[in-house]
Amino acid sequence: MRLNSKGQVTIPAELRRKHHLHEGDEVTVVEAADGLRIVRVAEAESRGQRLVREMRGRATSAMSTEELMELLRGD
């Protein structure tokens, strides 16, 4: 990996998949005796929580609740 001019590095896709890191996840860099460690921020919102927060209040429909339920239930 190479540090860019802004001090950023790219975590390889294989490692992101292995450690379940996704776009928007919060991480921090911690100094250790043998170097630096990248650690997930424990209190941060999960990917699912971020998606729900971003989607909340965006649904629009001219259908009533009863009409939607009928559509979902079918015959």
Side-chain angles (χ1 to χ4, degrees):
M1 284 183 263
R2 189 175 303 243
L3 191 66
N4 74 14
S5 63
K6 294 182 180 182
Q8 300 167 330
V9 295
T10 299
I11 301 170
E14 179 182 318
L15 291 174
R16 293 193 311 267
R17 280 190 297 272
K18 180 179 178 181
H19 296 281
H20 308 286
L21 293 171
H22 303 281
E23 180 182 345
D25 285 353
E26 290 188 47
V27 296
T28 188
V29 177
V30 178
E31 189 171 14
D34 58 346
L36 300 174
R37 296 178 59 203
I38 297 174
V39 181
R40 182 189 314 270
V41 175
E43 312 83 52
E45 283 183 310
S46 70
R47 182 174 182 225
Q49 290 169 326
R50 283 194 308 275
L51 288 170
V52 168
R53 179 177 42 79
E54 291 170 10
M55 292 174 62
R56 185 166 280 132
R58 291 190 180 199
T60 58
S61 176
M63 299 174 86
S64 70
T65 302
E66 290 301 317
E67 291 170 323
L68 288 170
M69 294 305 292
E70 180 62 30
L71 180 67
L72 293 171
R73 290 183 187 140
D75 293 332

